[in-house]
Structures are given as structure tokens and as C-alpha cells.
Amino acid sequence: MVSFAVVGAVNTAVYYTLYLLFLHWMPYLGAHVLAFALSMVGSFFLNARFTYRTRPTWRKFLLFPLTNVTNFLVTTAGVYVIVDVLHAGNRFAPLLASAAAIPVTFVVSRRIMLPGAGNAREGGGPAADARVT
């Protein structure tokens, strides 16, 4: 759990740094999409190494974005609402939208990454599910 949190914090810092950098050259949604895609690549390798302790493969790399679709959709909608609907600044919009997406993303990611985690009595749970990922 600690490694998951650390990887998430590092990934958020990378995303936000890239977002601010790209914001100089493109509209905020373009900066968000590009920063999200690049930080997701880094997240894959960090999660493979530290969170799941598994060897990265092309198959896992190509499937990994599926665990981030919910996060992407919620944060993208959130950034749009914050900037264009609420007329708040685009500088901190991704951080606010990301905070709102955490609970939804956690539930979806847990179901994808640990499908039997809810059945601890039946031998599910993180240790049993880790060998599947």
C-alpha cells in the first residue's frame, strides 16, 4: 500500500510538471492529454517495479492504460468543468480534478488489478491476486 501511494505521488508530480510545461505551447486540454499519456508510461514502469514487483512486458504495457481510463475520463471532464464552466484558472484545475477522481479511480483500479480482493474468506485478497498480475 505504501509503494502504491509513493508511486501515485511521483506520478502526480511528473504529470503536473509536464502539464505546466506544455501549457506554454498548447491549450490546457492538449497539455492535459499529453502530460497524462507521458506520465502513464512512467507510472507503468514504476508500478511494475515497485508496486506489483513484476517484469514489464509489452502485453502488460498495452493493457495498463485500461486501468487508467476512468481516471482519464474523470480528470478530463473535471478540468473542463473547472476551467470552462466554473471559469477558474487552468493552472490548478488538474490537481482539483485529480483529487475528485481518486475515489472513483481507486474502486475501478482495484476491481481490475485485484479482481478477487473482496472475497478474503475465499482466499482472494492482495497476496493471492498478486500472482495473477
Side-chain angles (χ1 to χ4, degrees), residues 87-125:
H87 302 292
N90 61 8
R91 203 163 169 77
F92 296 107
L95 294 178
L96 296 172
S98 293
I102 289 171
V104 176
T105 303
F106 176 78
V107 169
V108 172
S109 295
R110 185 167 173 85
R111 286 185 181 248
I112 290 171
M113 299 301 285
L114 303 172
N119 296 330
R121 288 182 298 227
E122 296 175 20

